[in-house]
Amino acid sequence: MNDAINHTGAWGLALIVIVLVSWFFYRYFAPKNWREWAGAGAVQAFIIALYAEMYGFPLTIYLLVRFFGLDSEYVSASLWSTLVGLGETGMLISMLLGYGLAFTGIGIFIQGWRQVYKARREDHLVTGGLYALVRHPQYTGLFIALFGEGVVHWPTLFSVGLFPVIVLAYVWLAHREEKQMLARFGDAYRAYQRRVPMFIPRRGQWWELTDTSR
């Protein structure tokens, strides 16, 4: 390793960021049963692995250099910066793109949470706003945020490996939730299912999704 990764080792900062991000996640995705806790556990592991490597020790870079023969004149704690060989420029590009996706995802799932929270208080089926574009905007936002932060901005072996696990866990959870919605709202929810996609908006609706999330 070289001087490009001497800024790592900030374990106190890593702990603070992990606690803050975890608090934010559980604030809006408070698990209520073991299925939700299973998905939340995968996200929690993702958060710990990501920020422990970002601020603590770059385990992914170490393993690639030590066991897989990765050799570069510029070895950075950022995987994209090391692989692409653009140095600080590569790190900056990945950071800007990653943060752009992360904040977009955060906006989507906060707005989705607000809509569903209001609908639960008023005891009705929510089909407007973000829910007119996708049936599970909270999960869509979560996927976008995690992809932006843990794959685009600062990929690690653990964050990249956990991302599809998290997606599968929440897809399964969404199917379970929809069975409950069918039992509660019947034909009204069936019509909603036929009209609105599950996670990915139709072509031409991505801008509307991100714009509505503001």
Side-chain angles (χ1 to χ4, degrees):
M1 302 289 182
N2 61 17
D3 292 339
I5 60 172
N6 283 344
H7 68 278
T8 59
W11 289 105
L13 179 59
L15 179 60
I16 291 172
V17 175
I18 289 170
V19 170
L20 290 176
V21 174
S22 299
W23 174 86
F24 180 84
F25 170 71
Y26 287 108
R27 169 69 176 82
Y28 292 98
F29 288 90
K32 298 180 179 62
N33 53 54
W34 71 267
R35 297 183 183 89
E36 294 182 2
W37 275 109
V43 175
Q44 183 68 72
F46 180 99
I47 292 170
I48 293 172
L50 174 64
Y51 293 109
E53 287 206 35
M54 185 181 296
Y55 298 110
F57 179 73
L59 180 61
T60 296
I61 298 297
Y62 173 80
L63 292 175
L64 290 175
V65 172
R66 179 68 177 81
F67 297 106
F68 296 94
L70 178 66
D71 188 15
S72 175
E73 293 182 0
Y74 185 92
V75 177
S76 168
S78 168
L79 181 58
W80 285 128
S81 181
T82 298
L83 293 179
V84 177
L86 294 178
E88 294 295 331
T89 301
M91 187 181 296
L92 178 62
I93 293 172
S94 64
M95 180 183 70
L96 293 176
L97 290 176
Y99 279 156
L101 289 171
F103 285 118
T104 297
I106 290 170
I108 292 171
F109 73 65
I110 288 179
Q111 183 63 18
W113 178 85
R114 288 173 175 170
Q115 286 188 246
V116 77
Y117 178 76
K118 181 179 179 181
R120 286 173 178 171
R121 291 185 61 183
E122 298 175 357
D123 194 27
H124 69 84
L125 177 63
V126 55
T127 59
L130 292 178
Y131 283 84
L133 304 173
V134 289
R135 301 200 301 272
H136 299 275
Q138 284 181 278
Y139 298 159
T140 298
L142 178 66
F143 299 156
I144 294 173
L146 295 182
F147 182 80
E149 184 70 346
V151 178
V152 176
H153 174 207
W154 203 275
T156 71
L157 293 175
F158 292 102
S159 64
V160 173
L162 280 172
F163 180 74
V165 175
I166 292 170
V167 171
L168 290 174
Y170 279 96
V171 168
W172 177 66
L173 182 60
H175 282 292
R176 298 286 303 185
E177 291 175 348
E178 293 204 343
K179 289 182 179 179
Q180 298 173 1
M181 297 298 287
L182 285 169
R184 184 175 180 183
F185 294 104
D187 291 339
Y189 196 79
R190 289 188 183 90
Y192 175 63
Q193 283 180 310
R194 290 191 295 268
R195 188 171 68 251
V196 178
M198 198 168 193
F199 300 108
I200 303 175
R202 292 188 173 90
R203 183 180 301 177
Q205 291 185 326
W206 275 105
W207 174 254
E208 187 177 355
L209 180 72
T210 57
D211 187 62
T212 303
S213 70
R214 299 174 187 175

